[in-house]
Amino acid sequence: MKTIHYKKVVQSLLGIVALCLGYVACEEYPDAYKATKGTPEVLYVRIPDAASADSLLDGAFLGDAVCIVGNNLRSVHELYFNDQQAILNTSLITDHTLIVSVPSGIPEHVTDSMYLITKSGEQALYPFKSKVPKPTVSSISCEYVPDGGEAVLYGDYFIDDPNIPLAITMAGNIPVTNILDIQKTQVRFEIPKGAEKGYINVTSLYGTGRSHFQFRDDRGIILDFDDLKATGGWRPGNLASDGGISGNYVVFKGDLKDDDWNEDNFSFNLWGIAAGRPQGDFFDASTSNLAKLVFKFEINILAPWSADGMQIVFTSWDTQNTNAYYSDDSHSRGLWIPWSTTGSYQTDGWITVSIPMSDFKYNRTGGTVDILGPGNYGGLSIFVWNGGVPGTPCTTEMRLDNIRVVPAE
């Protein structure tokens, strides 16, 4: 029997590890690897990509990763950019390099410096600017809020400075005159009179950011339940207008429980051929383009919803006189089940829901299937049933409007 010399094996492994560590540590300083002693020293800062090691930095935006190059960097116990402490990852630190992300918090005391502090309290200072990005405008609570109504913008770096107050401008260069509350990641405000369709700009002392969506976006409208109704199918949906967001809307109302079928109260069909819609898909459904599109609608859920999922199923233009696609587990669809993590879901008024078209990859029970290809997007059915998530019985009411597919931008 062959004898395994464990001591020799361990020694060999340790030697390999030491060699690797020495290579990493000496990557930018090929002289010699030495154990860390003394106060850390910063020679320069660059971007982390080794292929761009000659790209030196005198500052970086909050949240950006940087590589600090110097000596004795293993001795760094704490690191501050201005007065904001960074999170250190020891696996990204050698004696001569330290990779770290600039803290995302807004500094209160700006010194335009970084501070490297050892466990014993020794400190090294290096001039470095933490740059605050211009506002990022990611979404809005509802894209169809009427003039005078309240809306919330979501994003980041909404900074209100006493000398340069935060400003919001709607499309058509219409200023927002009543900002109700400002936080770093959201702003609540009143929609000004005369607000138009288009992008929203938010300006702080750090610059201007434009929204990634269009307010009152009417591009790619499939159903608005006014001029464009769900017709031609077995169920056009129950329509109402009181308390709407923009004219008529469709109502889903009644009792729900797991996998119970309530088609009359929780569904509608738009069959393209029977409705007289133009032949073909509603939009360019090529695989490359689907990745750039988002399915959107407005919804107001007036009572808690806690059972079954909303299923959004596209069908070919010539599909009619059947609902077999409801339970066809090879027919992909979008699923919206916002109560799945909280047990129950209700909105505080109208909101906008966004689902990437790349997420239309599920079957009726939540399993993943191949996404439908071109030629399968000339009809649309929405219904509440199944979804594959256990829920609790409920009596709810949902109002849907402005169903559309738009560029993700």
PDB file of all heavy atoms in Angstrom, residues 321-343:
ATOM      1  N   ASN A 321     -61.985  32.233 -30.447  1.00  0.00           N
ATOM      2  CA  ASN A 321     -62.939  31.169 -30.113  1.00  0.00           C
ATOM      3  C   ASN A 321     -62.312  30.022 -29.324  1.00  0.00           C
ATOM      4  O   ASN A 321     -62.676  28.857 -29.489  1.00  0.00           O
ATOM      5  CB  ASN A 321     -63.601  30.624 -31.383  1.00  0.00           C
ATOM      6  CG  ASN A 321     -64.353  31.703 -32.141  1.00  0.00           C
ATOM      7  OD1 ASN A 321     -64.979  32.577 -31.529  1.00  0.00           O
ATOM      8  ND2 ASN A 321     -64.275  31.671 -33.466  1.00  0.00           N
ATOM      9  N   THR A 322     -61.367  30.366 -28.464  1.00  0.00           N
ATOM     10  CA  THR A 322     -60.753  29.362 -27.593  1.00  0.00           C
ATOM     11  C   THR A 322     -60.077  30.060 -26.425  1.00  0.00           C
ATOM     12  O   THR A 322     -59.658  31.212 -26.539  1.00  0.00           O
ATOM     13  CB  THR A 322     -59.715  28.523 -28.350  1.00  0.00           C
ATOM     14  OG1 THR A 322     -59.144  27.551 -27.454  1.00  0.00           O
ATOM     15  CG2 THR A 322     -58.584  29.396 -28.880  1.00  0.00           C
ATOM     16  N   ASN A 323     -59.994  29.377 -25.310  1.00  0.00           N
ATOM     17  CA  ASN A 323     -59.158  29.859 -24.205  1.00  0.00           C
ATOM     18  C   ASN A 323     -58.211  28.742 -23.755  1.00  0.00           C
ATOM     19  O   ASN A 323     -57.748  28.728 -22.621  1.00  0.00           O
ATOM     20  CB  ASN A 323     -59.997  30.356 -23.019  1.00  0.00           C
ATOM     21  CG  ASN A 323     -60.841  29.252 -22.384  1.00  0.00           C
ATOM     22  OD1 ASN A 323     -60.798  28.098 -22.818  1.00  0.00           O
ATOM     23  ND2 ASN A 323     -61.613  29.605 -21.367  1.00  0.00           N
ATOM     24  N   ALA A 324     -57.922  27.820 -24.673  1.00  0.00           N
ATOM     25  CA  ALA A 324     -57.032  26.696 -24.348  1.00  0.00           C
ATOM     26  C   ALA A 324     -55.647  27.179 -23.953  1.00  0.00           C
ATOM     27  O   ALA A 324     -54.928  26.494 -23.206  1.00  0.00           O
ATOM     28  CB  ALA A 324     -56.946  25.740 -25.537  1.00  0.00           C
ATOM     29  N   TYR A 325     -55.258  28.351 -24.434  1.00  0.00           N
ATOM     30  CA  TYR A 325     -53.927  28.867 -24.098  1.00  0.00           C
ATOM     31  C   TYR A 325     -53.800  29.219 -22.615  1.00  0.00           C
ATOM     32  O   TYR A 325     -52.702  29.339 -22.087  1.00  0.00           O
ATOM     33  CB  TYR A 325     -53.581  30.081 -24.963  1.00  0.00           C
ATOM     34  CG  TYR A 325     -54.628  31.176 -25.002  1.00  0.00           C
ATOM     35  CD1 TYR A 325     -54.677  32.169 -24.030  1.00  0.00           C
ATOM     36  CD2 TYR A 325     -55.575  31.220 -26.024  1.00  0.00           C
ATOM     37  CE1 TYR A 325     -55.639  33.177 -24.074  1.00  0.00           C
ATOM     38  CE2 TYR A 325     -56.532  32.220 -26.085  1.00  0.00           C
ATOM     39  CZ  TYR A 325     -56.568  33.197 -25.107  1.00  0.00           C
ATOM     40  OH  TYR A 325     -57.515  34.184 -25.144  1.00  0.00           O
ATOM     41  N   TYR A 326     -54.927  29.407 -21.915  1.00  0.00           N
ATOM     42  CA  TYR A 326     -54.872  29.669 -20.473  1.00  0.00           C
ATOM     43  C   TYR A 326     -54.070  28.585 -19.754  1.00  0.00           C
ATOM     44  O   TYR A 326     -53.217  28.878 -18.915  1.00  0.00           O
ATOM     45  CB  TYR A 326     -56.285  29.692 -19.877  1.00  0.00           C
ATOM     46  CG  TYR A 326     -57.112  30.934 -20.120  1.00  0.00           C
ATOM     47  CD1 TYR A 326     -56.800  31.843 -21.118  1.00  0.00           C
ATOM     48  CD2 TYR A 326     -58.237  31.179 -19.342  1.00  0.00           C
ATOM     49  CE1 TYR A 326     -57.584  32.961 -21.336  1.00  0.00           C
ATOM     50  CE2 TYR A 326     -59.030  32.307 -19.554  1.00  0.00           C
ATOM     51  CZ  TYR A 326     -58.698  33.187 -20.553  1.00  0.00           C
ATOM     52  OH  TYR A 326     -59.477  34.298 -20.757  1.00  0.00           O
ATOM     53  N   SER A 327     -54.388  27.332 -20.061  1.00  0.00           N
ATOM     54  CA  SER A 327     -53.790  26.204 -19.342  1.00  0.00           C
ATOM     55  C   SER A 327     -52.718  25.474 -20.148  1.00  0.00           C
ATOM     56  O   SER A 327     -52.224  24.432 -19.715  1.00  0.00           O
ATOM     57  CB  SER A 327     -54.882  25.211 -18.936  1.00  0.00           C
ATOM     58  OG  SER A 327     -55.624  24.787 -20.059  1.00  0.00           O
ATOM     59  N   ASP A 328     -52.354  26.028 -21.299  1.00  0.00           N
ATOM     60  CA  ASP A 328     -51.294  25.424 -22.115  1.00  0.00           C
ATOM     61  C   ASP A 328     -49.948  25.761 -21.485  1.00  0.00           C
ATOM     62  O   ASP A 328     -49.456  26.886 -21.571  1.00  0.00           O
ATOM     63  CB  ASP A 328     -51.379  25.975 -23.544  1.00  0.00           C
ATOM     64  CG  ASP A 328     -50.328  25.375 -24.472  1.00  0.00           C
ATOM     65  OD1 ASP A 328     -49.448  24.642 -23.981  1.00  0.00           O
ATOM     66  OD2 ASP A 328     -50.371  25.670 -25.679  1.00  0.00           O
ATOM     67  N   ASP A 329     -49.316  24.772 -20.861  1.00  0.00           N
ATOM     68  CA  ASP A 329     -48.081  25.027 -20.115  1.00  0.00           C
ATOM     69  C   ASP A 329     -46.860  25.210 -21.000  1.00  0.00           C
ATOM     70  O   ASP A 329     -45.755  25.432 -20.492  1.00  0.00           O
ATOM     71  CB  ASP A 329     -47.830  23.908 -19.106  1.00  0.00           C
ATOM     72  CG  ASP A 329     -48.691  24.078 -17.863  1.00  0.00           C
ATOM     73  OD1 ASP A 329     -49.168  25.203 -17.630  1.00  0.00           O
ATOM     74  OD2 ASP A 329     -48.893  23.084 -17.132  1.00  0.00           O
ATOM     75  N   SER A 330     -47.024  25.141 -22.310  1.00  0.00           N
ATOM     76  CA  SER A 330     -45.927  25.479 -23.211  1.00  0.00           C
ATOM     77  C   SER A 330     -46.050  26.917 -23.710  1.00  0.00           C
ATOM     78  O   SER A 330     -45.145  27.413 -24.384  1.00  0.00           O
ATOM     79  CB  SER A 330     -45.904  24.518 -24.402  1.00  0.00           C
ATOM     80  OG  SER A 330     -47.060  24.699 -25.224  1.00  0.00           O
ATOM     81  N   HIS A 331     -47.157  27.567 -23.377  1.00  0.00           N
ATOM     82  CA  HIS A 331     -47.438  28.930 -23.842  1.00  0.00           C
ATOM     83  C   HIS A 331     -46.951  29.923 -22.782  1.00  0.00           C
ATOM     84  O   HIS A 331     -47.547  30.051 -21.719  1.00  0.00           O
ATOM     85  CB  HIS A 331     -48.950  29.094 -24.069  1.00  0.00           C
ATOM     86  CG  HIS A 331     -49.311  30.320 -24.849  1.00  0.00           C
ATOM     87  ND1 HIS A 331     -49.777  30.264 -26.144  1.00  0.00           N
ATOM     88  CD2 HIS A 331     -49.263  31.636 -24.528  1.00  0.00           C
ATOM     89  CE1 HIS A 331     -50.019  31.482 -26.582  1.00  0.00           C
ATOM     90  NE2 HIS A 331     -49.716  32.333 -25.607  1.00  0.00           N
ATOM     91  N   SER A 332     -45.854  30.620 -23.070  1.00  0.00           N
ATOM     92  CA  SER A 332     -45.257  31.506 -22.051  1.00  0.00           C
ATOM     93  C   SER A 332     -46.129  32.721 -21.802  1.00  0.00           C
ATOM     94  O   SER A 332     -46.925  33.139 -22.646  1.00  0.00           O
ATOM     95  CB  SER A 332     -43.862  31.947 -22.496  1.00  0.00           C
ATOM     96  OG  SER A 332     -43.928  32.756 -23.654  1.00  0.00           O
ATOM     97  N   ARG A 333     -45.939  33.319 -20.626  1.00  0.00           N
ATOM     98  CA  ARG A 333     -46.735  34.462 -20.195  1.00  0.00           C
ATOM     99  C   ARG A 333     -46.004  35.223 -19.102  1.00  0.00           C
ATOM    100  O   ARG A 333     -45.018  34.745 -18.535  1.00  0.00           O
ATOM    101  CB  ARG A 333     -48.084  33.989 -19.661  1.00  0.00           C
ATOM    102  CG  ARG A 333     -47.954  33.163 -18.365  1.00  0.00           C
ATOM    103  CD  ARG A 333     -49.132  32.257 -18.153  1.00  0.00           C
ATOM    104  NE  ARG A 333     -49.185  31.214 -19.169  1.00  0.00           N
ATOM    105  CZ  ARG A 333     -50.272  30.445 -19.390  1.00  0.00           C
ATOM    106  NH1 ARG A 333     -51.359  30.609 -18.655  1.00  0.00           N
ATOM    107  NH2 ARG A 333     -50.244  29.519 -20.313  1.00  0.00           N
ATOM    108  N   GLY A 334     -46.526  36.395 -18.769  1.00  0.00           N
ATOM    109  CA  GLY A 334     -46.026  37.135 -17.619  1.00  0.00           C
ATOM    110  C   GLY A 334     -46.887  36.846 -16.407  1.00  0.00           C
ATOM    111  O   GLY A 334     -48.107  36.662 -16.528  1.00  0.00           O
ATOM    112  N   LEU A 335     -46.277  36.779 -15.249  1.00  0.00           N
ATOM    113  CA  LEU A 335     -46.995  36.578 -13.989  1.00  0.00           C
ATOM    114  C   LEU A 335     -46.715  37.753 -13.070  1.00  0.00           C
ATOM    115  O   LEU A 335     -45.556  38.157 -12.906  1.00  0.00           O
ATOM    116  CB  LEU A 335     -46.557  35.285 -13.302  1.00  0.00           C
ATOM    117  CG  LEU A 335     -46.963  33.965 -13.936  1.00  0.00           C
ATOM    118  CD1 LEU A 335     -46.399  32.798 -13.121  1.00  0.00           C
ATOM    119  CD2 LEU A 335     -48.484  33.846 -14.025  1.00  0.00           C
ATOM    120  N   TRP A 336     -47.760  38.314 -12.472  1.00  0.00           N
ATOM    121  CA  TRP A 336     -47.594  39.382 -11.486  1.00  0.00           C
ATOM    122  C   TRP A 336     -48.293  38.935 -10.215  1.00  0.00           C
ATOM    123  O   TRP A 336     -49.519  38.816 -10.171  1.00  0.00           O
ATOM    124  CB  TRP A 336     -48.165  40.702 -12.004  1.00  0.00           C
ATOM    125  CG  TRP A 336     -47.822  41.874 -11.126  1.00  0.00           C
ATOM    126  CD1 TRP A 336     -46.572  42.277 -10.736  1.00  0.00           C
ATOM    127  CD2 TRP A 336     -48.731  42.791 -10.518  1.00  0.00           C
ATOM    128  NE1 TRP A 336     -46.650  43.388  -9.925  1.00  0.00           N
ATOM    129  CE2 TRP A 336     -47.962  43.737  -9.784  1.00  0.00           C
ATOM    130  CE3 TRP A 336     -50.126  42.922 -10.530  1.00  0.00           C
ATOM    131  CZ2 TRP A 336     -48.544  44.779  -9.060  1.00  0.00           C
ATOM    132  CZ3 TRP A 336     -50.701  43.968  -9.819  1.00  0.00           C
ATOM    133  CH2 TRP A 336     -49.916  44.881  -9.087  1.00  0.00           C
ATOM    134  N   ILE A 337     -47.490  38.679  -9.176  1.00  0.00           N
ATOM    135  CA  ILE A 337     -48.025  38.183  -7.897  1.00  0.00           C
ATOM    136  C   ILE A 337     -47.378  38.995  -6.774  1.00  0.00           C
ATOM    137  O   ILE A 337     -46.529  38.503  -6.011  1.00  0.00           O
ATOM    138  CB  ILE A 337     -47.736  36.676  -7.708  1.00  0.00           C
ATOM    139  CG1 ILE A 337     -48.033  35.902  -8.992  1.00  0.00           C
ATOM    140  CG2 ILE A 337     -48.578  36.109  -6.563  1.00  0.00           C
ATOM    141  CD1 ILE A 337     -47.696  34.426  -8.931  1.00  0.00           C
ATOM    142  N   PRO A 338     -47.716  40.267  -6.611  1.00  0.00           N
ATOM    143  CA  PRO A 338     -47.031  41.117  -5.634  1.00  0.00           C
ATOM    144  C   PRO A 338     -47.277  40.724  -4.185  1.00  0.00           C
ATOM    145  O   PRO A 338     -46.514  41.132  -3.302  1.00  0.00           O
ATOM    146  CB  PRO A 338     -47.606  42.509  -5.937  1.00  0.00           C
ATOM    147  CG  PRO A 338     -48.944  42.244  -6.543  1.00  0.00           C
ATOM    148  CD  PRO A 338     -48.770  40.996  -7.347  1.00  0.00           C
ATOM    149  N   TRP A 339     -48.302  39.922  -3.931  1.00  0.00           N
ATOM    150  CA  TRP A 339     -48.589  39.507  -2.559  1.00  0.00           C
ATOM    151  C   TRP A 339     -47.759  38.291  -2.130  1.00  0.00           C
ATOM    152  O   TRP A 339     -47.824  37.879  -0.970  1.00  0.00           O
ATOM    153  CB  TRP A 339     -50.080  39.184  -2.402  1.00  0.00           C
ATOM    154  CG  TRP A 339     -50.599  38.144  -3.349  1.00  0.00           C
ATOM    155  CD1 TRP A 339     -51.249  38.355  -4.525  1.00  0.00           C
ATOM    156  CD2 TRP A 339     -50.494  36.721  -3.212  1.00  0.00           C
ATOM    157  NE1 TRP A 339     -51.560  37.155  -5.142  1.00  0.00           N
ATOM    158  CE2 TRP A 339     -51.108  36.135  -4.348  1.00  0.00           C
ATOM    159  CE3 TRP A 339     -49.955  35.872  -2.254  1.00  0.00           C
ATOM    160  CZ2 TRP A 339     -51.181  34.761  -4.540  1.00  0.00           C
ATOM    161  CZ3 TRP A 339     -50.026  34.498  -2.441  1.00  0.00           C
ATOM    162  CH2 TRP A 339     -50.633  33.955  -3.568  1.00  0.00           C
ATOM    163  N   SER A 340     -46.988  37.720  -3.031  1.00  0.00           N
ATOM    164  CA  SER A 340     -46.304  36.458  -2.745  1.00  0.00           C
ATOM    165  C   SER A 340     -45.296  36.560  -1.605  1.00  0.00           C
ATOM    166  O   SER A 340     -45.044  35.573  -0.910  1.00  0.00           O
ATOM    167  CB  SER A 340     -45.608  35.931  -4.002  1.00  0.00           C
ATOM    168  OG  SER A 340     -44.610  36.829  -4.439  1.00  0.00           O
ATOM    169  N   THR A 341     -44.706  37.733  -1.398  1.00  0.00           N
ATOM    170  CA  THR A 341     -43.702  37.887  -0.336  1.00  0.00           C
ATOM    171  C   THR A 341     -44.284  38.453   0.954  1.00  0.00           C
ATOM    172  O   THR A 341     -43.701  38.273   2.020  1.00  0.00           O
ATOM    173  CB  THR A 341     -42.556  38.798  -0.801  1.00  0.00           C
ATOM    174  OG1 THR A 341     -43.098  40.050  -1.241  1.00  0.00           O
ATOM    175  CG2 THR A 341     -41.800  38.156  -1.952  1.00  0.00           C
ATOM    176  N   THR A 342     -45.427  39.118   0.855  1.00  0.00           N
ATOM    177  CA  THR A 342     -46.016  39.765   2.035  1.00  0.00           C
ATOM    178  C   THR A 342     -47.289  39.091   2.515  1.00  0.00           C
ATOM    179  O   THR A 342     -47.773  39.372   3.608  1.00  0.00           O
ATOM    180  CB  THR A 342     -46.335  41.243   1.743  1.00  0.00           C
ATOM    181  OG1 THR A 342     -47.231  41.319   0.624  1.00  0.00           O
ATOM    182  CG2 THR A 342     -45.056  42.008   1.402  1.00  0.00           C
ATOM    183  N   GLY A 343     -47.855  38.205   1.697  1.00  0.00           N
ATOM    184  CA  GLY A 343     -49.090  37.516   2.069  1.00  0.00           C
ATOM    185  C   GLY A 343     -50.345  38.245   1.633  1.00  0.00           C
ATOM    186  O   GLY A 343     -51.400  37.637   1.506  1.00  0.00           O
TER     187      GLY A 343
END
